Each structure stands twice: as C-alpha cells, then as structure tokens.
Amino acid sequence: MAKSRKSRRGATAASVAETVDGGLAELIPDPDRARAWTLLLDGAPQSHVDLDDPAFLSFEYQRRLGHVIDLVAPPGRPVRAVHLGGGALTLARYVAATRPRSTQQVVERDAPLVELVRRELPLDRNARIRVRSTDAREGLAKVPDGWADLVVADVFSGARTPAHLTSTEFLDEVRRALAPGGWYAANLADGPPLTHLRGQIATAAARFAELALVGDPTVLRGRRFGNAVLVAADEPLPIPELTRRAASDPHPGRVEHGRALRDFTGGATPVTDASAVDSPAPPASAFT
C-alpha cells in the first residue's frame, strides 16, 4: 500500500505519504502549529487538523461548516451528526471538542485513508465517533430514520462530488435520516458559469423549505472556482447570526437566502438520479 514515507513523526515532524484508494495521500506538518497537519490527496488540499486544538478550523469552507455546527443547537449541547466524507475527520473532531458527548457517524469510502488518518492523527479516545468505510449513499441508508440532528456532505472523488450525491433522490435519503428540525449542510465546489451550484440550490429547494448559501463573494459572482456551503432545513435558519459569523471570517463570506437565493438559481431545475453528473473538475490553478 505504501508508495513513499519520508519518516515517522518524532521530535521533528516530517511529512508522510502513502497510496490510498483516492490516490497519493500526504500529511504535511504545519510549520506554525506544533501538532497540526494538512492532508493532501494527489496534491489537492483536503483537510487540516490540529491535534492540540481540534476546535481550530484552518480551511475557509471548514470554518463555514463550523458555523453551521455552532448554530444547529444551543452552545455545547450534544448532537447526533452524520458526516458523509471523512478526510482527516476534521469536522467530527470539531463537533467532539465543541459539543462533548455528541454521537457521530462518519462515512468515508477510502478505507486505506481512514487507516492512515487513525494511525497518524489518532482520535480522542473519549470521542463518540464511528467510522464506516463504504459509499456515502450506502452508509447514509444505514442511518436510522430520524436519527441525525445534522447531516454534513463533504464528499469528493478526484476533487469532484460524485453524481449520485447531487440528486433529489439523495436528498430524500438525507431527509429520512434527519430528526425533526434537523439541518443538512453540503460543501459544494464550482466555478463560472456556476451551473452545478445553481442546480444544487434548485435541488435542495425541491426538498427543504429553508435554504442559505455561504461563500466568498467572488465565487458567488462566478469570477473564480471555489467552495460554497449550502445549508437546508424545514424550519427558519438563524440568518443574522450566520451572516455575522461569515462576515467575521479571515476571508469574509457572504450569505444568500430568500428571494436573492431563488434569483441566484437563474431558473435551474432540480437534479435527479437520471440527470445527475459529477461536479466540475477544478482548474489546475485552483490549488496553486
């Protein structure tokens, strides 16, 4: 399985590289934080973890998802969360740190990646995190009806979200797993002309009553490729607080909702299993 391995961690942290199902996985030490690491897959940054401070979120999109986690329930209250896509388990660690006694399920298809992360970046033994190595939609189907307070979708294969995780049928399965009042959040990646992003908003609007989209203004204006976080629920979302938090990020984000978000879709129609395609591949310049 191992393609290359520069050294084990020791007094001086060194990078680790191994072949996993998704390609070449690399764990690169953060020069500014003693026990922090960035996970790359085939050169594309996937996750950042600080073992000393799991509540620290470095990546912009993960900070946006962190705001969702902070607002889904009163501060500190345990929640039941399902994470579709695991990476370095950054968001599951965040939930465990900020909401102790939470119960979480992580679905990550890449079993060798899970093994690498568990070995090199071990989870807190007190964290109630169960990891399933299977397809995200298959794993979601095993979640009991009405179990989850929050479902987070952050699934990429070759830097693209698989088609079967973009449809109304997929969201039907999300809704089945959500408890009354539960939230769905998805990390979406797109660039001009934002066809994928608009279609995903239309798809979520066909299944949820309330939506919000959080992203960098330049991405939402279709000027560059990037990430945006979609939040969906059947009850009103805390838009003012979400807006305040997004605006205070190191890279301030904008929140679209209501009529402005409906207008943003530009007449896009919901995606079904029959019409679904993978999200667009990022340009070569996206990670340089």
Side-chain angles (χ1 to χ4, degrees):
M1 179 183 70
K3 180 175 181 179
S4 65
R5 184 181 180 84
K6 297 180 182 177
S7 73
R8 279 287 293 182
R9 294 197 308 274
T12 301
S15 60
V16 175
E18 289 189 11
T19 299
V20 298
D21 289 346
L24 179 64
E26 298 175 89
L27 291 173
I28 309 298
D30 184 334
D32 299 320
R33 303 178 78 89
R35 298 181 68 225
W37 302 81
T38 298
L39 169 67
L40 283 71
L41 281 177
D42 283 342
Q46 296 290 324
S47 304
H48 180 279
V49 169
D50 188 333
L51 296 177
D52 290 332
D53 184 9
F56 174 76
L57 298 176
S58 176
F59 287 9
E60 181 180 293
Y61 85 88
Q62 290 182 331
R63 289 181 64 88
R64 316 281 200 228
L65 288 168
H67 300 328
V68 174
I69 292 167
D70 292 343
L71 295 173
V72 71
R77 196 191 82 182
V79 297
R80 291 179 173 179
V82 176
H83 304 267
L84 304 178
L89 309 178
T90 303
L91 292 172
R93 298 173 199 265
Y94 182 85
V95 172
T98 60
R99 296 182 176 277
R101 302 182 308 283
S102 291
T103 304
Q104 303 184 74
Q105 297 187 37
V106 178
V107 184
E108 171 54 63
R109 183 172 187 169
D110 196 330
L113 175 62
V114 171
E115 180 182 345
L116 171 65
V117 168
R118 282 185 174 277
R119 185 181 71 241
E120 300 293 334
L121 309 177
L123 290 166
D124 185 328
R125 293 182 180 179
N126 296 320
R128 301 177 181 179
I129 301 173
R130 179 181 181 182
V131 182
R132 299 176 184 267
S133 294
T134 187
D135 173 78
R137 193 154 157 180
E138 293 177 5
L140 180 62
K142 298 182 184 301
V143 176
D145 293 359
W147 184 86
D149 299 303
L150 175 65
V151 173
V152 177
D154 184 17
V155 184
F156 289 86
S157 176
R160 304 176 71 178
T161 301
H164 70 296
L165 304 180
T166 67
S167 66
T168 52
E169 291 89 343
F170 165 67
L171 290 185
D172 287 338
E173 195 63 29
V174 170
R175 287 184 59 87
R176 181 200 58 76
L178 282 173
W183 293 11
Y184 168 66
N187 175 30
L188 307 174
D190 200 7
L194 301 179
T195 302
H196 174 71
L197 185 56
R198 299 182 202 278
Q200 287 305 285
I201 296 166
T203 304
R207 292 297 184 266
F208 290 94
E210 301 289 336
L211 303 179
L213 185 69
V214 191
D216 185 296
T218 60
V219 173
L220 300 187
R221 287 196 291 266
R223 294 185 178 177
R224 69 172 178 86
F225 192 96
N227 298 81
V229 169
L230 176 64
V231 189
D234 281 332
E235 298 180 357
L237 295 165
I239 299 299
E241 182 60 18
L242 184 61
T243 300
R244 185 190 69 79
R245 289 172 182 248
S248 66
D249 281 341
H251 296 92
R254 190 174 82 205
V255 176
E256 295 286 6
H257 64 99
R259 176 62 181 273
L261 186 55
R262 290 192 296 273
D263 291 345
F264 179 84
T265 64
T269 57
V271 175
T272 66
D273 277 346
S275 63
V277 296
D278 294 351
S279 68
S285 60
F287 308 119
T288 59

